[in-house]
Amino acid sequence: MAIDYDGIQIGDELGPLDKLITTEDVRTFTKIQREDGGGPAFFTDSESAIREGLPGRIVPGPISMAFMAQLAVSWSDGGWIKKLDVIFRQPVPHGIPVRVSGVVTDKYHIKGAGHVECDIYVESMEGDKLVGGQVIVVIPT
Amino acid sequence: MSATDNMVEFDRTLLGVKRAMDRFPMVIKAEEIMRYSTVLGETYPCYFDEETAKLAGFRGVLAPPAFSTALTIGMGKPDVGLKGVGSSFLATEAVHRFGSICAGDILDANFYLKNVYRKTGRSGSMVFVVWAIEFINQIGDLIETTEKSYVYKGASE
C-alpha cells in the first residue's frame, strides 16, 4: 500500500539509504542487456580512468540514478516515478560508501493523481554532494 | 555543413535528425532485470517474480524506473564536429516516463542531437552536447524519453 498522499508534508525527509558499489558490481552493471562487455573503459579500468583525467574508476551515472529512484520508490511504498532529472556534480568512486537522501519540495494534483516533487542527493559520508537531482513521484490517491 | 552556434562550431546537419540507436530493437530479458535489481540491492518483488508482477497488473517482470539508463551506457554517437576536444563525460540525464518496461518487451530506441551550447564556469569554458532518446515498445507506445548532456572541456572557441 502506497504512502498516504494527504499525510505528506513539504520538508518531509526521504531516507537515508546507504550504498556501496564495488568494481565487480560495476562490471556486472555495465553488461546488463549486452553481450559486448559494456561501456567506456574508465568505469572498470584504473589506467583508462587516469588517462581521461579522472581520479580513478568511477561509478556509472545510471547506478546513481537507480539509487535515487530506489529511494523514491521505497519511500513512497510503490509510487510511480514520472520524472528523474539528475546532475552529475562529481565522480562517484568505487568501493566508497555513499548516502542517498532527499526531501519533499512540492506536492500537487494533476488529473486527480497526487504528484510529489523531491530533491534527492547522493553524498559522500563527509557530506559532499556527488550527484543531485529532482524526482517526481505519482502517488495513488 | 558546419556552423557556429552560441560560439560553438559543430555539424548543424545533425540537429533533430533521428537515427536508430545501436543494439536496438532489444528484447528485454527477465534475468537481466533481476541481475540489474540484484546489483542495486532492490527488494521489490515485482522486479524478481513474474507471477507477482502479473498479479500487480504488469506484462511480466517489472524493470525498475531507471532501467533504461543502463541500456544506453556508452551509446554510439555521431561526431558532432567539435574542434579541440577530448573525452566527454555525462553531465546531466533526465528521464521522463510514460509507461513501464517489462520483461518480454521489445524496445526500440531513436536518438537525435537536440542542442549544443557553451557555458563558462569556474573551471573554464565547457561545451555541452545534448542528445535526446525516445524509447518505443512493441505496440508503438512511447515509453520514455531521455535527455543526456555530455560535457567537453577545452573546446576551441
Side-chain angles (χ1 to χ4, degrees), chain A residues 19-57:
Chain A
K19 293 287 185 180
L20 187 148
I21 284 289
T22 66
T23 300
E24 197 49 44
D25 292 334
V26 173
R27 286 203 178 97
T28 301
F29 188 88
T30 54
K31 290 177 184 167
I32 298 289
Q33 285 277 158
R34 59 196 308 160
E35 315 291 331
D36 62 356
F42 57 70
F43 288 137
T44 52
D45 180 65
S46 294
E47 287 182 14
S48 299
I50 289 164
R51 267 200 306 275
E52 299 290 353
L54 295 166
R57 295 175 291 202

Side-chain angles (χ1 to χ4, degrees), chain A residues 19 33 52 81 84 86 88, chain B residues 29 32 40 87 91 95 97:
Chain A
K19 293 287 185 180
Q33 285 277 158
E52 299 290 353
I81 305 290
L84 179 61
V86 170
F88 303 101
Chain B
K29 299 173 186 167
E32 295 295 288
L40 297 167
S87 299
V95 179
R97 301 177 71 230

Side-chain angles (χ1 to χ4, degrees), chain A residues 105-127:
Chain A
T105 57
D106 201 2
K107 58 181 280 194
Y108 46 84
H109 281 91
I110 296 178
K111 294 180 181 172
H115 287 58
V116 179
E117 292 189 7
C118 309
D119 286 347
I120 298 186
Y121 294 97
V122 178
E123 297 174 291
S124 69
M125 290 304 178
E126 291 74 38

